[in-house]
Every structure is written in C-alpha cells, then in structure tokens.
Amino acid sequence: MLEVTGLRVAYGGIQAVRGINFHVAEGEMVALIGANGAGKTSTLKALARLLNAAGGSVRFRGEEISKLAPHALVSAGIALVPEGRGVFPRMSIVENLQMGAYCRSDKDAIAADIEHIFGLFPRLKERARQMAGTMSGGEQQMLALGRALMSRPKMLLLDEPSMGLAPIMVQKIFEVIRTVASEGMTVLLVEQNAKLALETSQRGYVMESGEITLTGDAADLLSDPKVRAAYLGE
Ligand SMILES: Nc1ncnc2c1ncn2[C@@H]1O[C@H](COP(=O)(O)OP(=O)(O)OP(=O)(O)O)[C@@H](O)[C@H]1O
Ligand SMILES: [Mg+2]
C-alpha cells in the first residue's frame, strides 16, 4: 500500500533522513522505532506532505504522492495523527471531529461516524461540547485519533500516541488502535516505546541517525539482543 524509496529530509544543512526504504502492506500495522532525533517525525511529516522531501519516492496504492498538496493527501486516504496531537484548542470536541471530515460532503455518514468515534471513546461523548484545549493530554490524544478517523482514511500515520500519557490512558488508546487495525486499517506507528510498538505491530523498522538499521517481524525484533539493549533497557 505504501512504498517509500530513498526518502531524504534535510533542514538546511542537517540531514535528518538519509535515503530510507520501507513499505507497509495493506492491512498491516508496522512500527517505526528509534531514539530521540532519529528522524521518525521527519519521515512522517514528509509522508503527510507537511514538509518537502529532499529526495526519494513515496508511492501510495501505486500512485506517486511525494509532490501532492497536503489536502490532496487526505483525499487520497492518508491521515496523520501528529506528535503533540495538534487538536484545535478553541473548538469543541464535536467541532474538531467535524474538521476531520472537511474533505467529505456526506452529511449523514459524517454524523454516523461521529457516533462511531463516541462509541470507541465514550469519554469524548461525555465532553462533546467542551473546548478541546481544556481537555487532558489523554483526552486530546483520543480526539486527535478520532479526528483522523473522520476523514475515513485507508492508512493512519501515528506519531508517538503514547507520549506523555499515564499507563492506563496508553492502554485505552492502544486498545482502540488495535480495534481499528483489526477492522482492516493500515497503520504506520511511530513510537519511542519500542516494546509497546512491537507488541502491537506485525513488523518493525529501527531508525538511527536518519537511517533504517534493522528490520524484521516484530516478534523477532523484540527478541533481538541489539534491540533489547538499545531500546528495551536491558
Ligand atoms: N524544523 C527543524 N529544523 C531543524 N532541524 C530539525 C527540525 N525538525 C527536526 N530537526 C532535526 O532533525 C532530526 C530528526 O528529528 P525528528 O523530529 O524527525 O526526530 P524523531 O525521531 O521524531 O525524535 P523524537 O523521538 O524526539 O520525536 C533531529 O536532529 C532534529 O533536531
Ligand atoms: Mg518525533
């Protein structure tokens, strides 16, 4: 579904992503793990067209998307849940969810999808009219995920959904991520929590200093001594 070849991202003279190759098959959940500054967010931003890649090709369902405008990307079926969530703080929960559907015009289906999101996250329903900026970090992460789903994406890009959240909230968020994946969603999951990411995914890539240094089945990576030493604190 997603085929990335030779992707490069640079900030001025700094090479953040140095020509990486990876792919995600339809219906797969794939983890991209690595330490601070490895280039994970830069990779997702390039995929979501929030920045221009310095080189390389990104094919999504057979189509080259590395030059598309960000809104065209949403229409093509890719939704990013950004690091730090990026909800609209002065809009209510319902308004944030409606914003997620801005590229759609099927009013009845949009209303039904909002109800579906409320089913996944009852907490959001209880607070439907609350300003998003006044919600807790975990609630904002739920909302960011819900908003991304409102575009009815074919693929989700998740940037550190567990960051800064209490364990119980992480559990709740990942329960929903697993549910969505089990319903057929294709997911690229960026996480510093390598254990959680690999336990949730089928395959994984390890990124270090802008390069992919290791890849394999998630279970194999979880038992790999190098991964255990570098990312699982052993
Ligand atoms: N806007 C920017 N301008 C200059 N350098 C940047 C910019 N954004 C990121 N970088 C640099 O690019 C490198 C990769 O950063 P990136 O945010 O992609 O890492 P990351 O793997 O997501 O890290 P983290 O786990 O901390 O989120 C880092 O060295 C970072 O300092
Ligand atoms: Mg990051």
Side-chain angles (χ1 to χ4, degrees), residues 35-42 83 159-160 163 190 192:
N36 287 120
K40 306 179 299 296
T41 295
S42 301
E83 194 173 17
D159 198 353
E160 309 259 11
M163 190 167 57
V190 162
Q192 263 190 58

Side-chain angles (χ1 to χ4, degrees), residues 9-12 14-17 34-45 51 83 159-160 163 190-192 207 210:
V9 176
Y11 303 101
I14 302 166
Q15 296 261 344
V17 178
N36 287 120
K40 306 179 299 296
T41 295
S42 301
T43 299
L44 287 194
K45 281 187 175 167
L51 53 76
E83 194 173 17
D159 198 353
E160 309 259 11
M163 190 167 57
V190 162
E191 264 294 340
Q192 263 190 58
M207 204 167 175

Side-chain angles (χ1 to χ4, degrees), residues 120 145 149 156 175-185 187:
L120 290 172
L145 186 52
L149 292 172
L156 274 179
E175 206 178 289
V176 171
I177 293 172
R178 286 193 194 95
T179 301
V180 170
S182 73
E183 289 168 356
M185 183 71 74
V187 183

Side-chain angles (χ1 to χ4, degrees), residues 164-229:
L165 304 186
I168 182 91
M169 204 49 112
V170 172
Q171 245 178 47
K172 176 70 199 155
I173 301 272
F174 270 74
E175 206 178 289
V176 171
I177 293 172
R178 286 193 194 95
T179 301
V180 170
S182 73
E183 289 168 356
M185 183 71 74
T186 306
V187 183
L188 179 59
L189 172 63
V190 162
E191 264 294 340
Q192 263 190 58
N193 186 336
K195 183 167 187 285
L196 179 64
L198 291 173
E199 282 171 353
T200 312
S201 303
Q202 283 106 53
R203 286 191 305 117
Y205 293 89
V206 178
M207 204 167 175
E208 288 172 63
S209 307
E211 296 180 31
I212 286 172
T213 52
L214 207 56
T215 178
D217 287 339
D220 294 339
L221 288 176
L222 261 177
S223 58
D224 185 299
K226 274 178 293 185
V227 173
R228 298 192 79 85

